[in-house]
Amino acid sequence: MELKIYKDKNEVATAFSSYFADFVKDKDQVHVALSGGSTPKIVFDVLASKYGDEVDWSSIHFYWGDERCVPPDDSESNYKMTVDHLFSKIQIPKENIHRILGESDPNGEAMRYANLLEINLDRVEGVPQFDLVILGMGDDGHTASIFPHQIELWEAEDHCVVATHPESGQKRVSINGKVINTTKEVAFLVTGHGKAEKIEVITQKKEGFEKYPASLVNPASGNLLWFLDKDAASLI
Ligand code: 6PG
């Protein structure tokens, strides 16, 4: 686990964009799972503006680690957020974008997406292997859409699961912990004071840390990076 701490969100975005451009450089084909929520917005903006012309986007296949079960034009959609902040600003072939189509049949889509991953990605002991998974972390210590109240989904047999947001009840499709921990490299993007308490508990393995899904991210490769701003890292 490598903690990379930066002054603010802008510096996190700049540092991560440079890391991402370097990660994909000179690779014929890269399979990347994106996180959702709001943190990626500034990161995608910086990535598009600083590296839009430098990165060979045709070599990258984009997936999502999780998606809300809403239409693709819904303000809650992680796909829409990514189009608005990244895909609309770069030259990327449409066939390289693998959206989670959870709006109509979450359970059916979880199965379809799991099959898609098994077809598109190399497998390690039967588990699809991403080259890179980008994760966020909620104030409650969730990651992707594996929430503390459904932590059993982390070890689900199915590689994609249907989760439920603890407050809103919103259905979500999410990759499970086995897929996350099979990934070659995992990068967390976590900023803001609201995350500081869980960052302390999880990264310092304080009492009760294991009840938070983000603490279970431990790729077999050992390649786990945390991109944090000072606010999120204020207690460590
Ligand atoms: C989602 C995410 C989720 C997110 C965290 C942090 O679909 O919401 O994938 O895991 O990364 O909730 O969200 P913020 O970046 O908005 O704090």
Side-chain angles (χ1 to χ4, degrees), residues 132-205:
L132 174 63
V133 167
I134 303 166
L135 293 173
M137 186 194 74
D139 294 4
D140 62 356
H142 80 259
T143 193
S145 279
I146 310 292
F147 295 94
H149 77 296
Q150 292 181 316
I151 199 161
E152 72 282 358
L153 292 178
W154 184 264
E155 291 295 342
E157 273 311 301
D158 297 328
H159 294 141
C160 290
V161 294
V162 177
T164 308
H165 191 280
E167 277 106 49
S168 67
Q170 183 186 67
K171 291 288 181 208
R172 301 194 174 178
V173 173
S174 177
I175 58 177
N176 74 358
K178 286 179 190 166
V179 174
I180 291 171
N181 283 338
T182 300
T183 305
K184 291 179 184 170
E185 189 142 320
V186 178
F188 271 104
L189 289 173
V190 184
T191 62
H193 274 300
K195 313 293 172 77
E197 190 262 337
K198 293 297 181 301
I199 289 292
E200 179 191 22
V201 170
I202 290 168
T203 62
Q204 311 304 305
K205 296 194 185 311

